[in-house]
Amino acid sequence: VVSISASVDGRALDQPTIDNADRDIAWTDEDPREHRQAAIDVCLAIDCSGSMSGRPLEEARDACRAFVKELAPRAAVRVALVSFASGARVEAELGAAAESLQSAIERLHIYGGTDMANGLSVARASLDTATSPSRKAIVLLTDGEPDDRPATVAAAKACKDQGIEVLARGVTGADANFLASIASADDGLMTTLDEMADSFRGIARQLSQTAARGEIRRS
């Protein structure tokens, strides 16, 4: 909190009046030594199956870019990137620098089916590498049907059993009811290609606000 005074030709100016009615400034009463940002670890799990070829994949890249850009100033938020199609793989390790994440986003490409179960399992493993207490979340994006529904449900349950939130986003072709069955919450599950970047930006903003408030939430 900064207090500023000013004068003109030796005459003190009146202190400005600031309306804090709509602002949460309760944290200003806390001891700064006790104020800490909550650590947040998040993995973007992106569908790279054949149906994502062309514009869907480019919009997915845009969404990931928007997500990383929104979180870039937040030191307490670490991001990993996982792709899934015929199998799954880590494209960027948890805590990678923004430049490395951006490079990994550009490398996303189509490589087959929709092994969503493996995508969730690899995303969970990438978050398990965190050594400090943190809120953990997987942001999953898909446009279609998983190769194995039961295995995907089981993989999502394993994530949630370990306190990892599953935030699902689906575009045309995805089954909203199925996404609701694997997600931790069913708000905003479906989006259009044009809205995808805004949806990811909104998730990033929500996570960064949680970090700023110093909250750690477990599922």
Side-chain angles (χ1 to χ4, degrees):
V1 178
V2 179
S3 178
I4 299 174
S5 61
S7 62
V8 175
D9 295 331
R11 179 177 60 84
L13 300 180
D14 292 337
Q15 288 286 340
T17 300
I18 301 174
D19 183 6
N20 288 316
D22 295 328
R23 302 183 187 184
D24 180 7
I25 60 170
W27 60 271
T28 60
D29 294 327
E30 301 173 4
D31 184 336
R33 293 168 297 183
E34 297 177 357
H35 187 71
R36 298 289 186 271
Q37 284 194 325
I40 296 180
D41 295 330
V42 56
C43 179
L44 302 177
I46 308 300
D47 185 347
C48 288
S49 61
S51 58
M52 287 287 289
S53 181
R55 187 183 170 212
L57 183 60
E58 186 52 46
E59 294 298 330
R61 290 193 188 103
D62 283 343
C64 292
R65 294 183 193 110
F67 189 92
V68 172
K69 183 176 180 180
E70 186 72 33
L71 290 179
R74 306 288 181 176
V77 183
R78 301 188 297 178
V79 181
L81 177 65
V82 165
S83 67
F84 63 91
S86 296
R89 55 191 176 213
V90 177
E91 305 288 354
E93 299 285 349
L94 184 68
E99 295 80 6
S100 297
L101 281 165
Q102 295 291 2
S103 296
I105 290 167
E106 301 308 318
R107 292 195 302 269
L108 289 174
H109 63 280
I110 303 303
Y111 62 101
T114 312
D115 193 351
M116 197 179 299
N118 202 8
L120 285 168
S121 295
V122 171
R124 175 170 60 85
S126 76
L127 295 177
D128 283 346
T129 62
T131 56
S132 59
S134 63
R135 176 183 177 184
K136 296 181 176 64
I138 294 171
V139 181
L140 180 142
L141 173 66
T142 183
D143 75 334
E145 180 81 8
D147 292 342
D148 187 333
R149 279 198 174 209
T152 302
V153 171
K157 183 177 184 301
C159 293
K160 290 181 278 190
D161 286 348
Q162 291 189 7
I164 300 172
E165 296 174 71
V166 179
L167 308 175
R169 290 295 181 271
V171 294
T172 303
D175 185 334
N177 291 329
F178 177 71
L179 291 180
S181 73
I182 65 172
S184 299
D186 61 2
D187 55 317
L189 286 170
M190 301 303 294
T191 184
T192 66
L193 291 180
D194 292 330
E195 297 169 343
M196 197 185 300
D198 284 341
S199 179
F200 269 49
R201 193 177 292 111
I203 294 172
R205 191 173 300 119
Q206 180 184 28
L207 291 171
S208 64
Q209 288 171 349
T210 298
R213 290 194 299 266
E215 297 175 2
I216 298 179
R217 186 175 69 189
R218 297 293 185 189
S219 298

